[in-house]
Amino acid sequence: MSVWPAWEVREDERTTSWFTVRLAFSDGARVDALAVVCDGCASLEEVRAQPALSLDDLAELADWIEEPLFEACGPRRDPASGRGGSAGSRRARATWPRGIEGRRLVAQEYRAAQQGGADPVLAVMCATGHSRRRSLRLISQARDSGFLAPRHARR
């Protein structure tokens, strides 16, 4: 397994880092992933596998790459526990509420980031632990529910 930095965005005291992860197996199978680490939480942005992964293997992928990913990040502080954010202080992803409550919280995160001059989509990604695509879907659902203003004015 190899992990190397792809890019990093720093904003005030907050750092969001993307990493390229490659798992190569002796039988020729390969998994390439783009992982994002923000505030001590890691999520998978994109996964490509040859041959394709089963759903069970995909569910276990995060466990396979978590330790090497946090080692590549270096020592980070976990604000919730006060410990370092490496593999020794493993943190489960917080469950995000579904339905109207989840959409309302997405809208709050989005507006708070906008008002603070930060990237609102990235803020939703970090808050929910979901990929960019899933976060954009949650934002559009919040718009459809009336929690956010429409993206384009209707004529």
Side-chain angles (χ1 to χ4, degrees):
M1 178 182 309
S2 55
V3 177
W4 60 94
W7 66 91
E8 183 174 87
V9 175
R10 292 182 184 179
E11 187 174 348
D12 298 324
E13 296 177 8
R14 185 179 189 166
T15 302
T16 303
S17 304
W18 283 263
F19 293 88
T20 303
V21 180
R22 175 169 288 160
L23 285 86
F25 299 93
S26 59
D27 63 354
R30 188 172 90 186
V31 177
D32 292 316
L34 182 63
V36 63
V37 177
C38 179
D39 293 334
C41 294
S43 61
L44 293 174
E45 183 92 5
E46 182 178 328
V47 176
R48 293 183 182 177
Q50 190 65 26
L53 293 174
S54 69
L55 287 176
D56 292 334
D57 289 341
L58 188 58
E60 291 181 27
L61 181 62
D63 291 334
W64 292 346
I65 68 170
E66 183 178 42
E67 186 173 335
L69 184 60
F70 282 122
E71 286 175 6
C73 292
R76 308 254 180 192
R77 305 256 337 142
D78 180 346
S81 68
R83 300 180 304 201
S86 63
S89 64
R90 181 176 167 150
R91 220 169 68 168
R93 177 166 65 175
T95 49
W96 194 258
R98 294 179 179 258
I100 295 295
E101 180 64 19
R103 292 175 188 147
R104 186 182 60 76
L105 292 173
V106 164
Q108 284 178 349
E109 289 288 335
Y110 187 93
R111 281 193 302 271
Q114 259 186 339
Q115 291 168 353
D119 181 359
V121 177
L122 188 59
V124 171
M125 288 171 58
C126 289
T128 62
H130 290 300
S131 68
R132 183 172 187 81
R133 181 175 290 169
R134 179 68 178 132
S135 295
L136 288 169
R137 186 176 300 142
L138 291 171
I139 291 166
S140 71
Q141 290 172 350
R143 284 188 199 289
D144 292 345
S145 297
F147 293 115
L148 292 171
R151 184 74 177 145
H152 303 287
R154 303 198 180 195
R155 298 176 196 234

